[in-house]
Amino acid sequence: MRKIIIIAGLILLLIAGYVLLSKERDNQLKTGTPQIAARRHVAAEGRVEAMEGFEVEVGSEIDGKIAEFFVEEGDLVEKGNLIARMESRDIEAKLKEAAAELEVARSRLKEVASGAREEEIKKATAALAAAAADMEFAKMSLQRNKELFSEGLITREVLDEKEMTLTVAEARVKEAEEEERLLKKGPKQETLKLNEDAVKSAAANVEYVKKVLEKTVITAPISGKVIRKYLQAGEMLSKEMLISLVAIADVEKIWINAEVDETDIGRINIGDPVEVKSDAYPGQVFNAEVREISDYVGTRKVKPNNPAKNMDMKVVQVKIAIKDKTPFRLGMTVDVRIIPHGSEDAGQSRSAK
């Protein structure tokens, strides 16, 4: 009898449960309210990185030998601090040569622009007077010889010689007159412009060599920590090597670049809360949130802790901003647990990378 009562009670409980479920389903059908299934978190692996603009590779704009290094890996630097200096003796020699050429060009321009000196003009005037006197003497000599020729006292050859002497004297007078005129007039505009252009070209060359010399001194473009040092003093560097001197990062400006399986990306949105853990700090959980979601699907770069995960699985990079102060170091691998918001946030727009 007791057994029958227990069985009957169980049957009644099953019937009551069925009735309640039926009523709930009927209510949902009447109101149009869908049943919201519990949403599980999205697990992913990520790497600690400097935020965009807060990690830079510092290189050299010129080829040559590294003369000095002023930093070591791990050093803190301020923007503008010396990082390294390239060998500069050859460039300094070129600068001295360029400066000397500029001085010569300026001296020439000054001489041309100032015109002829007073002594030169006086000398030209005296030369003109002498040429004019020679011409007058040649005229008188020719006149006397014409009279002698008419009397038959000299030959035709002697008369022709006197005529040639006068012609030469007249030409010398014209030449002396032109020389005096040019000296008094000053330099030609073409000559002046030619010398002005020479000065401009020499000055531009000096500025160019100065800029090249400035590039031998390499400074920090941002404040931060030297996180990598690739070369040492004495090593050669060229553009073909495609290598930097050091990498500098602001270790306070960090975020996590998480790799979320493409099958899970539709479940997360900007602003979703995130829990971050690291094997290096067991038992500690750091608060964060989703900051950016890339529009591109790529291959996995961070090796997952779960060996069951497929390395060939396509992933989407998700940038996660850390809210708490953390002991994380750049390059460290961490585990993230993204907790999706409710459906009211499902339409939130994503930030393109």
Side-chain angles (χ1 to χ4, degrees), residues 62-65 86-99 205-206 208-217:
I62 61 173
D63 298 343
K65 180 188 288 187
M86 304 294 289
E87 182 59 57
S88 60
R89 283 179 294 182
D90 291 344
I91 301 173
E92 289 170 356
K94 288 181 180 179
L95 181 58
K96 289 181 180 179
E97 182 180 344
N205 188 42
V206 168
Y208 169 75
V209 179
K210 280 183 178 179
K211 289 181 179 179
V212 174
L213 184 60
E214 289 173 359
K215 291 177 180 179
T216 62
V217 178

Side-chain angles (χ1 to χ4, degrees), residues 178-224:
E178 182 66 14
E179 179 70 18
E180 183 188 45
R181 185 185 69 81
L182 290 175
L183 288 173
K184 288 181 177 180
K185 182 181 179 181
K188 292 182 179 180
Q189 289 301 314
E190 295 84 356
T191 304
L192 189 61
K193 186 177 185 306
L194 184 64
N195 282 271
E196 288 174 344
D197 290 344
V199 170
K200 290 179 181 178
S201 177
N205 188 42
V206 168
E207 290 304 312
Y208 169 75
V209 179
K210 280 183 178 179
K211 289 181 179 179
V212 174
L213 184 60
E214 289 173 359
K215 291 177 180 179
T216 62
V217 178
I218 301 163
T219 59
I222 63 170
S223 298

Side-chain angles (χ1 to χ4, degrees), residues 135-160:
M135 183 181 68
E136 290 301 321
F137 179 79
K139 284 181 179 180
M140 291 187 294
S141 178
L142 177 61
Q143 185 61 37
R144 287 196 302 270
N145 279 274
K146 281 182 178 180
E147 293 173 356
L148 293 174
F149 178 75
S150 63
E151 295 175 1
L153 298 176
I154 60 173
T155 63
R156 183 66 194 181
E157 288 78 6
V158 174
L159 182 61
D160 290 343

Side-chain angles (χ1 to χ4, degrees), residues 126-139 169 172-173 176-177:
L128 175 59
D134 290 342
M135 183 181 68
E136 290 301 321
F137 179 79
K139 284 181 179 180
R172 286 177 176 171
V173 168
E177 287 175 342

Side-chain angles (χ1 to χ4, degrees), residues 25-279:
R25 184 171 62 250
D26 291 341
N27 288 335
Q28 290 177 5
L29 291 173
K30 289 177 181 178
T31 60
T33 304
Q35 186 176 10
I36 301 175
R39 305 184 72 183
R40 298 174 57 193
H41 69 270
V42 175
E45 294 78 23
R47 181 176 285 118
V48 179
E49 298 178 352
M51 291 182 177
E52 292 179 4
F54 291 96
E55 180 178 340
V56 294
E57 297 284 330
V58 183
S60 173
E61 296 183 56
I62 61 173
D63 298 343
K65 180 188 288 187
I66 304 171
E68 291 181 275
F69 245 118
F70 301 100
V71 296
E72 296 295 336
E73 197 167 297
D75 287 353
L76 294 175
V77 295
E78 295 292 331
K79 182 178 180 179
N81 283 171
L82 282 173
I83 298 298
R85 184 178 64 81
M86 304 294 289
E87 182 59 57
S88 60
R89 283 179 294 182
D90 291 344
I91 301 173
E92 289 170 356
K94 288 181 180 179
L95 181 58
K96 289 181 180 179
E97 182 180 344
E101 290 175 354
L102 176 58
E103 286 304 312
V104 171
R106 283 173 173 168
S107 297
R108 288 175 181 169
L109 175 60
K110 184 178 180 181
E111 183 178 344
V112 170
S114 63
R117 294 189 295 271
E118 186 177 351
E119 294 81 4
E120 292 177 326
I121 295 175
K122 287 181 178 180
K123 184 178 179 181
T125 302
L128 175 59
D134 290 342
M135 183 181 68
E136 290 301 321
F137 179 79
K139 284 181 179 180
M140 291 187 294
S141 178
L142 177 61
Q143 185 61 37
R144 287 196 302 270
N145 279 274
K146 281 182 178 180
E147 293 173 356
L148 293 174
F149 178 75
S150 63
E151 295 175 1
L153 298 176
I154 60 173
T155 63
R156 183 66 194 181
E157 288 78 6
V158 174
L159 182 61
D160 290 343
E161 183 179 344
K162 296 300 180 180
E163 289 177 345
M164 180 59 68
T165 300
L166 177 60
T167 301
V168 172
E170 289 174 341
R172 286 177 176 171
V173 168
K174 289 182 179 180
E175 183 179 347
E177 287 175 342
E178 182 66 14
E179 179 70 18
E180 183 188 45
R181 185 185 69 81
L182 290 175
L183 288 173
K184 288 181 177 180
K185 182 181 179 181
K188 292 182 179 180
Q189 289 301 314
E190 295 84 356
T191 304
L192 189 61
K193 186 177 185 306
L194 184 64
N195 282 271
E196 288 174 344
D197 290 344
V199 170
K200 290 179 181 178
S201 177
N205 188 42
V206 168
E207 290 304 312
Y208 169 75
V209 179
K210 280 183 178 179
K211 289 181 179 179
V212 174
L213 184 60
E214 289 173 359
K215 291 177 180 179
T216 62
V217 178
I218 301 163
T219 59
I222 63 170
S223 298
K225 178 183 285 188
V226 179
I227 59 173
R228 289 183 294 276
K229 183 178 179 182
Y230 303 105
L231 299 171
Q232 300 294 331
E235 292 190 80
M236 297 297 296
L237 186 64
S238 68
K239 297 181 182 68
E240 288 75 16
M241 293 173 64
L242 300 177
I243 188 170
S244 302
L245 294 166
V246 297
I248 299 175
D250 186 339
V251 294
E252 298 296 326
K253 302 292 191 301
I254 61 173
W255 59 12
I256 296 168
N257 187 9
E259 296 181 343
V260 177
D261 291 350
E262 63 176 339
T263 54
D264 291 329
I265 202 64
R267 298 170 54 197
I268 65 175
N269 292 281
I270 303 298
D272 281 350
V274 181
E275 294 178 350
V276 184
K277 296 181 180 180
S278 171
D279 291 341

Side-chain angles (χ1 to χ4, degrees), residues 13-31 35:
L13 287 173
L14 289 173
I15 293 171
Y18 176 77
V19 171
L20 288 173
L21 288 174
S22 297
K23 287 183 178 181
E24 179 67 21
R25 184 171 62 250
D26 291 341
N27 288 335
Q28 290 177 5
L29 291 173
K30 289 177 181 178
T31 60
Q35 186 176 10

Side-chain angles (χ1 to χ4, degrees), residues 32 115 221 280-281 342:
Y281 306 99

